[in-house]
Amino acid sequence: MTTSKQTFKLSSLMTSLLLSGVMGSYAANAQEQQNNAVEDDGIEIIQVKGYRGSINAALMSKREAVGTRETIIAEDIGKFPDLNVADSLARVPGISIEEDAGEGRQITIRGLGSRFVKTTINGMESASAGAATDAAGGSNTSRAFDYNVFASELFTQIDIDKTVSAEREDGGISGNVNLQTARPFQYEGFKGSYNVNARYNDISEDVSPRVSFMLSNNWDNKFGVLASVAYSDGTVQSEGSSTVRWTVNNPNYVDGGSPVGQGGTNYLSAAPKTILLENGNYTNDNLDGLYLPRIPRYSIFSKEQKRLGATVAFQYAPTDNLSMNLDILHAELDTTMDEYQYSVLLRDQKNIVPENIYTDPNNTIVAGAFSNAIIRSEARQDSSESNFDQVSFTGDWYINDRLKMSFLVGKGKSDLDVPYLRTFALDAEGSTVAYSYDSNIDPLSLINNPGGEAIGSAQLNTTMPSFAFAAGQAPGNAFTKEQLQNTMLDASNYSAGLVRNRAQTIESENSTIKLDFAYELNDEYTVKFGVGQRSFETEQHDFRNAWKNLDIETNKTSGKSAETQVIDLDADQIAGDLFSTTLNETGIHFGNNASVPSTSTLFGSTWLTPDYNAMMDAFSNAAFFEAKEEYKRAYYIKEEVNTAYLQLNFRKDIFNSELRGNLGLRYVDNKNTSRIVNLDHIYKDGYTAGKGDGANFENGYGWRESISTGDEWLPSLNLAYDITEDLVGRFSYSHAITRPKLSDLRSSISVNTPDEQDPTATIKRGAGPSLEPYKAKQYDIGLEWYFADESLVAGSVFFKNITGISSESSDEVLSQAELDRLGIDIGDMNAEDITWTVTQLTNTDAEDMWGAEFIYQQPFTFLPEPFNNLGIQANYTYIDYTRDIEDPFYGNSLSLVEEETSKNTYNLTVYYEVDNWSARFSYNYRGGYNKQYLDEYKDESTFVRGYDDKAKLNFSARYELTENMSLSFEAVNLTDEKQEMWNDIYTPRPYESLSSGRQFLVGLRGSF
């Protein structure tokens, strides 16, 4: 019997094992000839049923793989409390997730950021972009795949390859994830299934539906049709506090001076926007170097999501040697988020008076009272619509016993439409306010004891501050708590201060053509080779009412930004009592889950908030409300990639044990095209097109285009050796690449033009398409001991040498002609008097990282009844990946853990399963990590923000009512873990502390 048939038998068996668990059905092979081969050798086709069966099938897939692979089977996805695919992946060794509103959005593999993960759907490269809160990254302009667009019920299998082979598409240094939708040949004859759930969130107190259905018919493995649909909606509320970063008070800043780390007086690398006034004992000298929150506030995010997904699959096998698949996938995620903030604007102010402050040993103003401050209450509503469509046509043709051809032709489209992000604010100027991040200090006592007393001593011991707000009140009075709350609710203390309107579109398309061949040379060697072509196009447009009034004749701007022009209206048009309500009256509850200190004056009943609808009615037709396109943010990027590979697969007996492996080389030819708006056609306000030659274009402007080309040779080697019958050793070596973030490839610029309030002059240049990809040399070695049935103990060590992308800065004086070419308006200032800090991304030298993974899986069948039905899955991953970064504020050289890298992650699942019921607890832990190195806020001294440790405990249970129907109960985030973000690598201070609460699902699952 040839190797081809042996491999084919194994593939048939594994396909049956892996796919039969979708709805507890028997697997059917696409080819009758293969089934006969299996039957002739007496191999038993095993029905996978239940969670234990699914993880056992995944274990067999892992054992047979040549490289390092993890697999999730449909039973795994469908039976876990997973809100989307990212949550399903969170249990895989080495995978961590980025969350937004309590559910997974993006993933990281082995400590590398989400941009290093290559995601395919049904074998085709895919792109998916969604929107999120500002702190969670906003709209996705990177290569990271937004998994939260997809319901987990749409997929029957997920494969995660952590090592690279030549036949696998390039682009994923950390790994490749393939999502496989259901196909009809997985089931015998006619098959239907349903899953109907009610979902409850304990913060929003919302009950919402979550349903999925599937119908499939298979006509003797000759022709089949399958359709599935999944729908859910509901509201998830997150509540807590935030600071929107911290800033340092630096009145002793000297323009051009040295940083404090080098003996100077500058905590900042640009002139400060925020300076506290001197008051009594509070002098510039003892206030210098103290950190205060920019916008301390309570926050609410009420996020209503409607998620719809649908698949249609056709399979046709006209002969025993030819089979074809047509897969159609549609997914959409519509989100409306109502956001409420009640805050004090300490940022960008130079006339705030410190009245009574307390600091800790790290120079943090832990608690303080301030006068002449601005209280701002915001109501914001964001709407976003993510749509994803993909059609792929694939097939396998066994030309003869030794030669097989496979093909893939596909096209995808991913659009993100943000029709509006609207923010309305009521401001109470001239207010006295106090906050306290020390649970032992009552902010009311700070307000009632003003006058520049000596700086007190405190401890930063809570992330949920207490507030006291005296809206519109000067210091000097002794207030009761009730009196302060009356000032907060008195609408006459407020007036309209901000009317913001924004919108955004991101349209992406991709296409793929691949042709692959496998030729069996003999029983031991098979040659694989193939060619492919893929393209990806994306275009972004951004709209804002941040423009200033423009005189077209002189090409000069004047006045305030449009979003703040509302304050120039007559007082009776912007009076607070025209637009105010309370949070409770809006139907939004605050404090269901956030632990609001009893000393705070701010609760749902005392939270005066803008009436969103009233302000829309009053100002939506005003000229200053118009969101015009900000042309410097627009870009178009196209990537065209041609590939070819050659790979040798082999199976050999060495010392009476099997060695499996592949050796290959992949060639990648890449062409990048980047277009930005020709700013010569845009007036100096940045929002008005048609200048000069621009008037000759349909849209008032043309594009500037730049093109770059490059190629890469990517070798790979993967080995798996059966040391004994139960012990498998693995080794892998490869070269891999990941292309830069999409928005980094644009050639556009971002400018901060100096003025009287903000003298900072900065230019951030886009790197353009010539920016080279991240490149890595990778090694992986592992040992797996299958010590008992359905059991595994495994360990692996991996090493990567990765080039980076960093930002370089220089100080430059630009001529007026250069400024005009860049579309920068400096008004009446002299170009020769301005020194610009110009930054641009560049490629950096390679740096090393390494890590280790450990896996343990076992059913406890050796225990006495009833404990013999228990089982466990556990894994742990350690990452050591640091980079040398220079702190721009102190001038220090630091060794920092790479962005999005958690040193420690682990997952633990304990399950109990018998014939008619089962239950599982799943615990996921991710260690704290640096989310982003921030050196762009040069007037704040903000450097690095990140997340604290986070762990989630989920529960799932099933009870079989009949043979074809079961009752399910699922609980997500039982321990009510919060998302804690910090700011400042030296002294982590609270940035955002949000709770999204627990979610509970009760439902019926069934099949027919």
Side-chain angles (χ1 to χ4, degrees):
M1 187 174 290
T2 66
T3 304
S4 146
K5 290 184 180 178
Q6 292 173 355
T7 304
F8 207 55
K9 289 188 312 182
L10 184 56
S11 298
S12 172
L13 175 59
M14 289 308 300
T15 300
S16 301
L17 286 169
L18 295 177
L19 299 180
S20 61
V22 177
M23 295 295 169
S25 68
Y26 286 96
N29 195 286
Q31 312 226 0
E32 183 180 352
Q33 175 184 339
Q34 300 163 27
N35 283 337
N36 292 336
V38 175
E39 291 168 3
D40 289 345
D41 277 359
I43 297 178
E44 179 185 5
I45 300 297
I46 301 173
Q47 177 183 355
V48 179
K49 184 177 181 181
Y51 176 73
R52 178 175 164 184
S54 70
I55 62 174
N56 188 35
L59 192 67
M60 295 181 68
S61 174
K62 178 180 180 66
R63 179 169 185 168
E64 180 57 25
V66 174
T68 301
R69 166 176 285 194
E70 311 292 344
T71 299
I72 305 176
I73 309 302
E75 181 84 0
D76 217 352
I77 299 173
K79 296 294 180 67
F80 251 78
D82 298 322
L83 300 177
N84 61 53
V85 176
D87 293 322
S88 300
L89 288 164
R91 302 187 308 277
V92 173
I95 289 186
S96 300
I97 63 173
E98 298 279 338
E99 287 193 334
D100 180 49
E103 67 176 30
R105 183 188 184 192
Q106 298 170 351
I107 69 168
T108 68
I109 299 179
R110 286 183 163 179
L112 293 177
S114 51
R115 63 190 179 278
F116 292 101
V117 180
K118 180 66 169 282
T119 300
T120 57
I121 297 179
N122 297 328
M124 176 182 164
E125 181 181 32
S126 302
S128 172
T133 61
D134 293 340
S139 298
N140 182 6
T141 59
S142 72
R143 291 184 186 276
F145 191 87
D146 280 346
Y147 288 88
N148 59 338
V149 174
F150 303 93
S152 59
E153 294 92 338
L154 297 178
F155 304 100
T156 61
Q157 182 172 331
I158 303 177
D159 292 314
I160 305 98
D161 288 287
K162 301 175 185 174
T163 54
V164 175
S165 60
E167 65 181 320
R168 217 161 292 286
E169 283 199 359
D170 54 280
I173 286 179
S174 65
N176 288 58
V177 176
N178 183 60
L179 310 175
Q180 181 64 53
T181 57
R183 287 175 174 168
F185 284 2
Q186 296 171 207
Y187 311 98
E188 289 184 342
F190 176 78
K191 188 73 175 178
S193 67
Y194 59 87
N195 186 359
V196 181
N197 292 271
R199 185 175 71 170
Y200 173 78
N201 177 266
D202 68 351
I203 298 183
S204 66
E205 300 179 335
D206 173 72
V207 179
S208 56
R210 180 181 176 92
V211 297
S212 61
F213 301 93
M214 185 206 75
L215 290 174
S216 175
N217 204 4
N218 176 2
W219 287 272
D220 299 325
N221 292 337
K222 295 298 184 183
F223 180 71
V225 180
L226 180 147
S228 70
V229 63
Y231 174 80
S232 66
D233 69 28
T235 300
V236 176
Q237 182 171 310
S238 303
E239 58 181 20
S241 63
S242 57
T243 60
V244 197
R245 305 185 300 275
W246 292 66
T247 187
V248 68
N249 188 58
N250 195 189
N252 294 334
Y253 175 87
V254 176
D255 190 22
S258 301
V260 291
Q262 298 176 2
T265 60
N266 289 358
Y267 290 90
L268 305 169
S269 54
K273 293 182 182 179
T274 303
I275 297 179
L276 298 176
L277 295 181
E278 294 184 296
N279 181 25
N281 291 321
Y282 300 143
T283 65
N284 283 341
D285 287 338
N286 63 21
L287 290 172
D288 194 53
L290 299 185
Y291 286 81
L292 66 154
R294 296 178 71 252
I295 313 177
R297 62 191 186 184
Y298 286 163
S299 303
I300 299 173
F301 303 89
S302 182
K303 192 171 188 177
E304 181 183 0
Q305 289 188 325
K306 295 181 180 180
R307 182 185 285 114
L308 174 67
T311 70
V312 178
F314 300 90
Q315 285 189 284
Y316 180 48
T319 70
D320 291 342
N321 299 320
L322 177 63
S323 63
M324 293 173 284
N325 315 293
L326 178 65
D327 296 294
I328 303 170
L329 170 62
H330 171 76
E332 59 186 65
L333 178 65
D334 294 342
T335 302
T336 300
M337 184 169 66
D338 293 305
E339 178 180 334
Y340 299 89
Q341 314 276 2
Y342 196 96
S343 56
V344 53
L345 302 183
L346 299 178
R347 59 101 173 100
D348 299 349
Q349 307 294 322
K350 294 184 178 179
N351 55 357
I352 292 180
V353 181
E355 297 289 352
N356 191 352
I357 62 176
Y358 284 72
T359 65
D360 69 1
N362 296 311
N363 290 332
T364 306
I365 303 179
V366 172
F370 304 87
S371 62
N372 200 33
I374 300 173
I375 295 173
R376 171 163 288 181
S377 183
E378 294 183 10
R380 171 174 167 173
Q381 187 175 90
D382 297 354
S383 175
S384 65
E385 301 167 3
S386 298
N387 286 278
F388 178 92
D389 291 282
Q390 179 175 298
V391 178
S392 57
F393 181 50
T394 60
D396 297 313
W397 179 24
Y398 291 84
I399 300 172
N400 55 45
D401 287 344
R402 294 186 178 274
L403 181 62
K404 173 188 174 183
M405 182 190 79
S406 300
F407 66 86
L408 183 153
V409 179
K411 189 172 183 63
K413 185 176 177 62
S414 176
D415 293 338
L416 173 63
D417 181 21
V418 183
Y420 62 84
L421 300 93
R422 300 171 182 148
T423 305
F424 299 110
L426 294 177
D427 292 349
E429 298 188 2
S431 299
T432 302
V433 300
Y435 68 84
S436 176
Y437 285 89
D438 186 327
S439 58
N440 298 312
I441 297 178
D442 186 340
L444 178 60
S445 67
L446 300 179
I447 282 185
N448 287 337
N449 292 280
E453 297 179 3
I455 295 176
S457 178
Q459 291 185 332
L460 200 163
N461 56 25
T462 180
T463 58
M464 189 67 181
S466 181
F467 286 110
F469 295 99
Q473 306 301 307
N477 295 322
F479 297 95
T480 66
K481 185 175 181 179
E482 291 71 24
Q483 287 174 329
L484 288 186
Q485 290 173 334
N486 287 335
T487 70
M488 295 167 61
L489 290 171
D490 185 351
S492 66
N493 290 322
Y494 301 81
S495 61
L498 178 72
V499 175
R500 176 176 290 160
N501 187 21
R502 296 180 177 179
Q504 184 183 32
T505 62
I506 301 176
E507 298 179 348
S508 303
E509 291 187 3
N510 62 293
S511 62
T512 299
I513 299 176
K514 291 198 298 184
L515 192 62
D516 300 286
F517 295 89
Y519 183 71
E520 183 183 290
L521 298 174
N522 53 42
D523 290 352
E524 295 181 339
Y525 297 99
T526 298
V527 174
K528 288 188 171 184
F529 56 96
V531 293
Q533 190 279 332
R534 65 180 190 267
S535 67
F536 177 76
E537 298 177 72
T538 185
E539 185 170 337
Q540 173 184 278
H541 295 273
D542 207 287
F543 305 83
R544 304 185 176 207
N545 70 328
W547 44 268
K548 295 182 179 181
N549 293 328
L550 171 71
D551 185 330
I552 290 182
E553 296 298 325
T554 63
N555 196 17
K556 299 290 184 180
T557 61
S558 61
K560 298 181 177 68
S561 172
E563 63 183 22
T564 60
Q565 289 179 14
V566 65
I567 66 177
D568 293 332
L569 298 179
D570 293 340
D572 59 352
Q573 293 180 278
I574 59 175
D577 53 10
L578 297 175
F579 312 112
S580 63
T581 183
T582 66
L583 197 62
N584 282 357
E585 290 172 346
T586 67
I588 298 292
H589 300 289
F590 179 68
N592 282 357
N593 215 47
S595 300
V596 181
S598 60
T599 54
S600 183
T601 64
L602 184 59
F603 299 90
S605 59
T606 61
W607 186 318
L608 182 137
T609 185
D611 184 326
Y612 178 90
N613 292 327
M615 295 194 80
M616 270 293 294
D617 291 341
F619 303 119
S620 59
N621 292 322
F624 54 70
F625 192 69
E626 182 185 0
K628 301 179 182 180
E629 180 166 9
E630 188 174 11
Y631 292 104
K632 69 181 180 182
R633 296 178 181 271
Y635 61 82
Y636 165 88
I637 294 169
K638 182 176 183 180
E639 291 182 340
E640 299 168 277
V641 182
N642 297 304
T643 63
Y645 74 90
L646 178 66
Q647 180 173 301
L648 177 67
N649 288 13
F650 51 87
R651 288 174 178 263
K652 293 182 63 69
D653 283 339
I654 298 180
F655 303 118
N656 296 319
S657 293
E658 184 179 75
L659 173 68
R660 304 181 300 281
N662 57 64
L663 173 66
L665 181 66
R666 186 175 187 86
Y667 173 73
V668 180
D669 177 75
N670 188 75
K671 177 182 177 182
N672 291 333
T673 302
S674 172
R675 296 174 187 162
I676 61 171
V677 170
N678 186 343
L679 294 180
D680 289 343
H681 302 162
I682 309 301
Y683 287 90
K684 288 187 178 179
D685 66 338
Y687 294 83
T688 304
K691 176 175 174 286
D693 292 340
N696 300 321
F697 290 85
E698 180 180 355
N699 295 318
Y701 65 87
W703 295 88
R704 285 178 174 166
E705 181 176 281
S706 55
I707 297 175
S708 69
T709 58
D711 58 8
E712 301 288 342
W713 294 89
L714 305 175
S716 62
L717 170 67
N718 295 279
L719 301 173
Y721 181 61
D722 295 334
I723 300 172
T724 69
E725 185 177 348
D726 301 321
L727 194 63
V728 179
R730 300 186 188 277
F731 172 79
S732 295
Y733 169 76
S734 64
H735 289 200
I737 61 171
T738 290
R739 291 178 180 81
K741 180 180 177 182
L742 291 169
S743 55
D744 289 343
L745 290 174
R746 69 186 190 272
S747 306
S748 54
I749 64 171
S750 176
V751 179
N752 188 83
T753 305
D755 55 32
E756 292 182 0
Q757 283 71 38
D758 178 12
T760 306
T762 60
I763 299 174
K764 294 173 65 176
R765 295 180 185 270
S770 60
L771 191 65
E772 293 186 2
Y774 299 89
K775 300 178 183 180
K777 296 179 181 179
Q778 310 184 128
Y779 303 85
D780 195 294
I781 186 168
L783 197 62
E784 299 166 4
W785 181 28
Y786 298 86
F787 61 93
D789 289 344
E790 306 175 42
S791 302
L792 169 68
V793 171
S796 62
V797 177
F798 50 89
F799 172 86
K800 299 176 188 288
N801 182 256
I802 310 175
T803 63
I805 294 176
S806 186
S807 177
E808 289 188 352
S809 298
S810 61
D811 293 332
E812 301 179 22
V813 176
L814 303 179
S815 67
Q816 186 61 55
E818 290 174 304
L819 294 175
D820 290 341
R821 183 178 61 83
L822 295 173
I824 299 175
D825 175 20
I826 60 172
D828 296 329
M829 291 182 287
N830 187 345
E832 297 179 356
D833 296 335
I834 303 175
T835 300
W836 298 86
T837 300
V838 181
T839 61
Q840 184 165 349
L841 293 175
T842 59
N843 295 101
T844 60
D845 294 336
E847 298 188 8
D848 294 340
M849 70 160 290
W850 73 275
E853 287 179 354
F854 302 94
I855 303 171
Y856 168 55
Q857 176 177 322
Q858 185 176 21
F860 295 149
T861 52
F862 55 87
L863 294 178
E865 293 186 355
F867 304 105
N868 60 332
N869 296 308
L870 283 167
I872 190 172
Q873 272 186 300
N875 59 74
Y876 166 76
T877 303
Y878 172 80
I879 305 290
D880 186 343
Y881 185 20
T882 59
R883 290 178 58 194
D884 293 330
I885 303 292
E886 182 177 330
D887 171 10
F889 302 109
Y890 287 81
N892 300 328
S893 180
L894 303 175
S895 180
L896 299 180
V897 177
E898 174 62 290
E899 293 177 343
E900 299 185 2
T901 298
S902 294
K903 280 195 170 186
N904 298 283
T905 59
Y906 60 84
N907 305 292
L908 175 66
T909 297
V910 178
Y911 64 89
Y912 187 91
E913 185 170 296
V914 293
D915 287 342
N916 61 346
W917 71 275
S918 63
R920 297 181 296 280
F921 282 97
S922 179
Y923 184 80
N924 307 105
Y925 170 85
R926 180 179 187 181
Y929 60 98
N930 300 328
K931 173 61 179 174
Q932 188 177 17
Y933 303 148
L934 292 173
D935 62 356
E936 57 189 291
Y937 303 109
K938 302 180 183 301
D939 50 27
E940 295 177 13
S941 190
T942 294
F943 186 55
V944 188
R945 65 180 174 95
Y947 288 96
D948 284 343
D949 302 348
K950 186 170 184 179
K952 291 181 70 173
L953 178 64
N954 297 339
F955 174 76
S956 177
R958 174 189 59 85
Y959 180 76
E960 196 171 279
L961 300 173
T962 69
E963 183 178 354
N964 296 315
M965 181 184 294
S966 61
L967 177 68
S968 63
F969 172 74
E970 301 168 357
V972 179
N973 193 24
L974 275 171
T975 54
D976 190 23
E977 286 291 317
K978 296 176 175 57
Q979 184 163 285
E980 306 273 6
M981 186 185 293
W982 50 263
N983 176 208
D984 192 345
I985 193 65
Y986 297 105
T987 304
R989 301 179 177 92
Y991 183 110
E992 184 176 80
S993 176
L994 292 178
S995 171
S996 298
R998 305 171 182 86
Q999 298 193 59
F1000 303 93
L1001 296 88
V1002 178
L1004 284 176
R1005 305 174 189 266
S1007 61
F1008 52 89

